[in-house]
Amino acid sequence: MADRQWTSRFPGLGALEPEITNLLLRTSAVVDLPAGTRIFGPGQAPENYLLLLDGTVRVQQVSENGREIVLYRVAAGQSCALTTACLMGYEDYQAEGVAETAVTAVAIPRATFDEAIARSAAFRKFVFTAFSLNVTTLFKLIEEVAFSRIDERLAQRLLQLADPSGHIEITHQQLAAELGSAREVIGRQLHEFQRRGWVTTSRGSIDLANREALRQLATAH
Amino acid sequence: MADRQWTSRFPGLGALEPEITNLLLRTSAVVDLPAGTRIFGPGQAPENYLLLLDGTVRVQQVSENGREIVLYRVAAGQSCALTTACLMGYEDYQAEGVAETAVTAVAIPRATFDEAIARSAAFRKFVFTAFSLNVTTLFKLIEEVAFSRIDERLAQRLLQLADPSGHIEITHQQLAAELGSAREVIGRQLHEFQRRGWVTTSRGSIDLANREALRQLATAH
DNA sequence: TTTTGCTATGTGACTAGATCACATACGAGG
DNA sequence: CCTCGTATGTGATCTAGTCACATAGCAAAA
């Protein structure tokens, strides 16, 4: 099957040494996970290094008092950098990873991962670059949470979550959990967006009516 | 001089392969940086992997509109994980690192770093563990910024910054930059702490008068 | 069809924190 | 003692989060 050749689907893995490619293809499994699967979380350390072939994984932080904030998403063609961190440092993170859609992923066992890291400069570069990119997004997130207005962050997130037709299936509560805010706040902001004609809302979904206006607000500083 | 043997001052580097230890000792320089030195920042990528022998480095995020927040500190005996990230991913971070005190550090050139990573499992583990630990602190920071009260965060930071006698040389403005808050807010909180007899303040410095009370507030959730 | 019940959303009052515009106060150097 | 830069104090106002509770949409059961 085509998945035998999955290494070619990751730009950084194209130039891999042949014996490393073979090692990866031989010892890794391609797995399918249904939407909603909890991939890792507190008390559930990931056992494999995951490369996403299809679908998206949402990584979120849940605080003691039940409040949530989405840290980042992992899309097809990316590796789950947090998984990396866990494998590297044997750290038990508080964050959890959830399959947001049905997910197809390559699961590289730790032993293979360690061996590939040890033997291949190209593989190291691939892993580190992915990891490093993610730290950058965390820095941006800290800055946004600390200094950005909630309406800007909401506009930005709506644009990010919308499908090509501008539709989003999401509740106010879920949007609040995206941004680490509160349901009422999101509701009021959406109300204002609707008043301005930028979105239309209905129970459980939102449609973008004026992406340009939202984009302008999102990039306003 | 004693610094020839600096590898022994990092627990994770004690069990290093002898030829790797030699490589590190041979090609790395021990450098002294005065307090206030900007070690890396936007447009100033670090050229070496730094291991701190003495002093502390403050890593902070500065936003476009000039607001600041301290991301973490690197203390003696630790490596600068962000430097790591830069070396790994060739990413240009927005964050900047500043020597908070006079700093003595080992500067490992990139070539040596790459070689040690390639050849030594122990060195990899040392680097990755340090990096991974730091991601954990970033997650905690995100949670605190998003969900914690400013008085709790201030109490926590005062305890962290105080010297053994409970004294801190710092202005309200600097404390605000520590926490990503505003000077007036810090001033009002300190006023309240003082009213309760937990601290005494004077121009440019603070003294802790009741650490236990501060600790209790800091760990309240 | 009507009822029931769960979930989503709306709303006002209140609190916390950030922002703005100033007013003072301190302390080193002239 | 005076001056000036920096640090701190303060009220008004705005934004966002919290709390308590009301209402609305929708689907399954009666």
Side-chain angles (χ1 to χ4, degrees), chain A residues 151 154-155 158 172 185-203 205-210 213-214 217:
Chain A
D151 53 355
L154 176 58
L158 289 174
H172 299 181
V185 174
I186 299 300
R188 283 167 188 144
Q189 295 293 337
L190 285 174
H191 194 78
E192 174 62 17
F193 285 2
Q194 186 156 34
R195 196 191 62 75
R196 297 187 195 169
W198 297 354
V199 304
T200 57
T201 67
S202 61
R203 186 187 168 93
S205 73
I206 300 169
D207 286 272
L208 308 191
N210 186 344
L214 289 169
L217 177 61

Side-chain angles (χ1 to χ4, degrees), chain A residues 26-169:
Chain A
R26 205 177 60 238
T27 59
S28 302
V30 174
V31 297
D32 282 296
L33 305 169
T37 306
R38 180 172 153 154
I39 297 171
F40 60 88
Q44 183 187 353
E47 283 133 35
N48 301 294
Y49 183 70
L50 285 187
L51 300 178
L52 287 207
L53 292 170
D54 219 14
T56 65
V57 172
R58 187 179 66 239
V59 178
Q60 60 200 358
Q61 174 92 297
V62 184
S63 81
E64 304 137 345
N65 44 11
R67 297 196 54 181
E68 297 182 16
I69 184 168
V70 173
L71 298 174
Y72 57 87
R73 287 183 164 77
V74 185
Q78 302 181 322
S79 67
C80 183
L82 183 55
T83 317
T84 323
C86 293
L87 288 178
M88 283 176 170
Y90 319 119
E91 272 294 318
D92 191 31
Y93 286 114
Q94 293 311 98
E96 67 172 7
V98 179
E100 194 160 43
T101 63
V103 158
T104 308
V106 180
I108 303 179
R110 169 171 288 186
T112 302
F113 179 78
D114 286 343
E115 190 178 342
I117 284 277
R119 289 175 50 195
S120 166
F123 188 73
R124 279 198 298 276
K125 180 161 179 183
F126 172 78
V127 169
F128 296 165
T129 303
F131 196 4
S132 161
L133 252 175
N134 243 281
V135 175
T136 305
T137 67
L138 286 183
F139 283 2
K140 284 196 191 119
L141 176 60
I142 289 172
E143 182 169 333
E144 282 180 2
V145 171
F147 306 132
S148 292
R149 296 172 49 95
I150 196 70
D151 53 355
E152 294 173 11
R153 295 178 58 215
L154 176 58
Q156 187 185 321
R157 193 54 60 106
L158 289 174
L159 290 165
Q160 180 196 327
L161 293 174
D163 70 15
S165 74
H167 183 79
I168 317 170
E169 283 290 320

Side-chain angles (χ1 to χ4, degrees), chain B residues 123-190:
Chain B
F123 187 73
R124 278 198 299 275
K125 180 159 179 184
F126 172 77
V127 169
F128 296 165
T129 302
F131 197 4
S132 161
L133 252 175
N134 242 281
V135 175
T136 305
T137 67
L138 287 183
F139 283 2
K140 284 195 192 122
L141 176 59
I142 289 172
E143 182 168 333
E144 282 181 2
V145 172
F147 305 132
S148 291
R149 296 172 49 95
I150 197 69
D151 54 354
E152 294 173 11
R153 294 179 57 215
L154 176 58
Q156 188 184 321
R157 192 55 60 106
L158 289 175
L159 290 165
Q160 180 195 328
L161 293 174
D163 69 16
S165 73
H167 184 78
I168 317 171
E169 282 290 321
I170 199 167
T171 66
H172 298 181
Q173 181 63 64
Q174 289 172 312
L175 266 173
E178 286 277 332
L179 301 174
S181 176
R183 177 186 63 78
E184 301 91 319
V185 174
I186 299 301
R188 283 169 186 142
Q189 295 294 338
L190 285 173

